[in-house]
C-alpha cells in the first residue's frame, strides 16, 4: 500500500470515531511527507525541535506541525514561531518557557499536559495530583501565552491489551474530571492517546487524537 492508501485506511476503518490523525513523520524525509500531504494529510508530528524547524522551512505552510515528544526548555525557541500544538508538556518549567517564547512573538501556543499513565519509570509526565495542583495555582493562571487544550498519555509498551485499555480508561476518566474546570488558559478538548500499536484501543476509550508513525511511513530502523 502507498502512504496515502495507509492513511485512508486508518481513517475509513475508524470512521465511526471522531478523531484527528497526527501523521508522525519523525526521521522520515520530506518526500514522504509531501506524498502524504498530496493525499490530503495536514497534521504532522515530530519529536526533535531542530528537525521540525528544518522541515517546516521547506514544506507547505498550511501544514499543522505538532511537537509530540519530550521537549527540552532550551529548544522551545526553535519551534515557538510556528508550532500548532505541543503534546508533551511535562513540567511547569517547560510550560513557563513556552509561555515566555510565545509572549516574545505575540502568540498563544496550544499545549497538552503529558500525564504519566504507563508502567515504565522512564516515561515523562505529570501525575494526576501534580496536574490538579498546577492548574489550581496562581502561577498557572498568570500564564497568558499558553492555552492548555487537553491531555496526552502513552500507555505501557506491552502485548497486554487489557493493561493498555485500563491505562487509557484512567486517563479518559481524569480528562472528564478536569472538563468542568475551564479557565482562560485551560479547556479539556483534546485527548491525545494511541500510537501505531494501540490506537484502536485508544479510540475505543475516547481518544480524540491519535499519533501514528510506523503504520503510515514504515519502521524507523
Ligand atoms: C514516535 C512517536 C509516536 C508514533 O509511534 P509509532 O509507534 O511509530 O506509531 C507517537 N507518539 C510519540 C510521543 C512518539 O514519540
Amino acid at each position: 500500500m502507498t502512504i496515502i492508501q495507509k492513511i485512508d485506511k486508518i481513517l475509513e476503518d475508524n470512521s465511526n470515531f471522531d478523531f484527528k490523525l497526527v501523521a508522525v513523520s519523525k526521521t522520515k524525509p520530506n518526500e514522504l511527507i509531501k506524498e502524504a500531504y498530496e493525499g490530503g494529510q495536514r497534521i504532522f508530528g515530530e519529536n526533535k525541535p531542530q528537525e521540525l524547524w528544518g522541515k517546516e522551512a521547506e514544506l507547505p505552510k498550511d501544514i499543522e506541525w505538532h511537537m509530540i515528544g519530550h521537549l527540552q526548555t532550551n529548544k522551545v525557541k526553535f519551534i515557538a514561531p510556528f508550532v500548532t500544538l505541543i503534546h508533551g508538556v511535562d513540567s511547569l518549567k517547560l510550560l513557563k518557557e513556552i509561555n515566555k517564547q510565545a509572549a516574545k512573538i505575540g502568540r498563544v501556543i496550544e499545549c497538552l499536559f503529558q500525564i504519566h499513565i504507563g508502567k515504565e519509570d522512564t516515561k515523562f509526565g505529570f501525575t494526576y495530583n501534580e496536574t490538579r495542583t498546577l492548574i489550581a495555582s496562581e502561577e498557572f493562571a498568570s500564564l497568558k501565552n499558553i492555552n492548555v487544550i487537553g491531555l496526552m498519555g502513552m500507555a505501557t509498551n506491552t502485548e497486554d491489551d487489557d493493561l493498555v485499555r485500563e491505562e487509557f480508561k484512567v486517563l479518559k476518566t481524569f480528562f472528564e474530571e478536569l472538563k468542568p474546570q475551564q479557565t482562560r488558559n485551560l479547556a479539556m478538548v483534546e485527548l491525545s492517546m494511541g500510537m501505531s500499536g494501540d490506537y484502536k484501543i485508544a479510540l475505543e476509550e475516547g481518544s480524540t487524537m491519535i499519533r501514528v508513525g510506523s503504520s503510515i511511513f514504515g519502521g524507523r530502523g
Side-chain angles (χ1 to χ4, degrees):
M1 283 203 285
T2 65
I3 285 173
I4 295 173
Q5 286 168 335
K6 286 180 190 165
I7 290 173
D8 286 348
K9 185 158 166 44
I10 293 171
L11 297 176
E12 277 160 29
D13 288 352
N14 298 287
S15 60
N16 50 324
F17 296 107
D18 190 12
F19 68 100
K20 292 178 189 153
L21 172 63
V22 180
V24 176
S25 51
K26 63 189 185 193
T27 78
K28 301 294 177 184
N30 289 349
E31 289 66 54
L32 298 189
I33 300 175
K34 271 189 211 145
E35 208 176 309
Y37 177 88
E38 273 147 28
Q41 179 66 27
R42 288 294 178 274
I43 309 178
F44 292 89
E46 292 279 337
N47 71 343
K48 297 250 170 14
Q50 281 106 325
E51 184 177 347
L52 179 47
W53 182 77
K55 286 175 171 174
E56 192 274 341
E58 292 185 6
L59 288 160
K61 292 299 161 201
D62 62 337
I63 288 180
E64 277 189 31
W65 291 104
H66 290 201
M67 174 71 206
I68 59 166
H70 177 65
L71 177 58
Q72 288 173 276
T73 48
N74 63 351
K75 305 278 171 65
V76 172
K77 57 179 177 289
F78 290 111
I79 59 170
F82 62 83
V83 70
T84 302
L85 181 63
I86 299 178
H87 289 235
V89 176
D90 57 4
S91 71
L92 175 59
K93 181 171 170 243
L94 176 59
L95 193 63
K96 283 164 73 177
E97 177 65 14
I98 296 168
N99 187 71
K100 182 177 145 192
Q101 295 298 335
K104 268 193 195 166
I105 52 176
R107 285 193 76 198
V108 173
I109 297 182
E110 296 195 326
C111 300
L112 304 177
F113 283 143
Q114 182 167 352
I115 308 295
H116 184 108
I117 58 169
K119 294 269 174 282
E120 292 99 335
D121 295 338
T122 54
K123 286 201 175 145
F124 298 99
F126 290 109
T127 65
Y128 298 105
N129 267 332
E130 285 167 350
T131 313
R132 291 184 186 104
T133 305
L134 173 58
I135 64 179
S137 69
E138 280 180 29
E139 189 160 33
F140 177 72
S142 75
L143 301 175
K144 296 193 166 34
N145 293 80
I146 52 95
N147 191 15
V148 176
I149 62 162
L151 306 178
M152 183 273 229
M154 288 169 83
T156 304
N157 184 7
T158 170
E159 303 285 296
D160 182 354
D161 286 355
D162 294 339
L163 175 61
V164 169
R165 187 178 297 281
E166 187 53 34
E167 290 171 353
F168 287 151
K169 241 188 235 302
V170 175
L171 184 59
K172 164 72 168 168
T173 303
F174 187 55
F175 180 74
E176 293 300 328
E177 175 195 316
L178 299 187
K179 257 191 189 165
Q181 304 204 28
Q182 200 161 324
T183 63
R184 195 183 38 73
N185 60 1
L186 180 83
M188 289 296 122
V189 178
E190 300 291 355
L191 182 56
S192 169
M193 54 184 201
M195 325 191 349
S196 290
D198 57 19
Y199 68 83
K200 284 175 202 295
I201 301 174
L203 288 170
E204 286 164 7
E205 298 306 329
S207 171
T208 68
M209 225 176 228
I210 59 175
R211 311 176 310 272
V212 182
S214 44
S215 291
I216 295 172
F217 296 108
R220 288 177 296 270

